[in-house]
């Protein structure tokens, strides 16, 4: 099933799409939001210094 367009007074108002396609769009939007958050964090001056993996792993309790 393809998308169906609903018009009112000759103007497109809504699109009806299959639920699977909707779910895929939602996942892709979440991925884009995550990517935007990562890009913003990378450009933040507070995040420019960095630290070693071992230091971060100790902080999270992954290693002793």
């Amino acid at each position: 099933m393809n998308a169906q367009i609903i018009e009112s007074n000759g103007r497109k108002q809504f699109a009806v799409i299959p639920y699977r396609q909707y779910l895929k769009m939602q996942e892709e939007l979440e991925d884009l939001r995550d990517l935007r958050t990562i890009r913003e964090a990378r450009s933040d001056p507070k995040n420019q210094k960095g630290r070693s993996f071992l230091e971060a792993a100790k902080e999270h309790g992954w290693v002793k």
Side-chain angles (χ1 to χ4, degrees):
M1 174 182 207
N2 292 331
Q4 295 180 359
I5 306 299
I6 299 173
E7 296 182 6
S8 175
N9 297 324
R11 296 184 64 200
K12 296 177 182 174
Q13 298 292 318
F14 300 97
V16 179
I17 60 173
Y19 189 67
R20 286 185 182 179
Q21 190 175 351
Y22 166 78
L23 291 176
K24 184 177 179 188
M25 287 172 50
Q26 285 297 105
E27 288 177 17
E28 290 175 1
L29 284 172
E30 288 176 22
D31 290 345
L32 285 172
R33 287 184 194 114
D34 292 343
L35 181 58
R36 180 180 293 149
T37 301
I38 290 169
R39 287 180 176 168
E40 288 173 0
R42 283 185 178 171
S43 65
D44 187 342
K46 294 186 292 186
N47 295 324
Q48 298 303 313
K49 184 177 178 185
R51 58 188 170 160
S52 71
F53 173 77
L54 188 56
E55 184 181 332
K58 285 180 182 178
E59 180 181 310
H60 290 284
W62 298 332
V63 295
K64 294 181 181 181

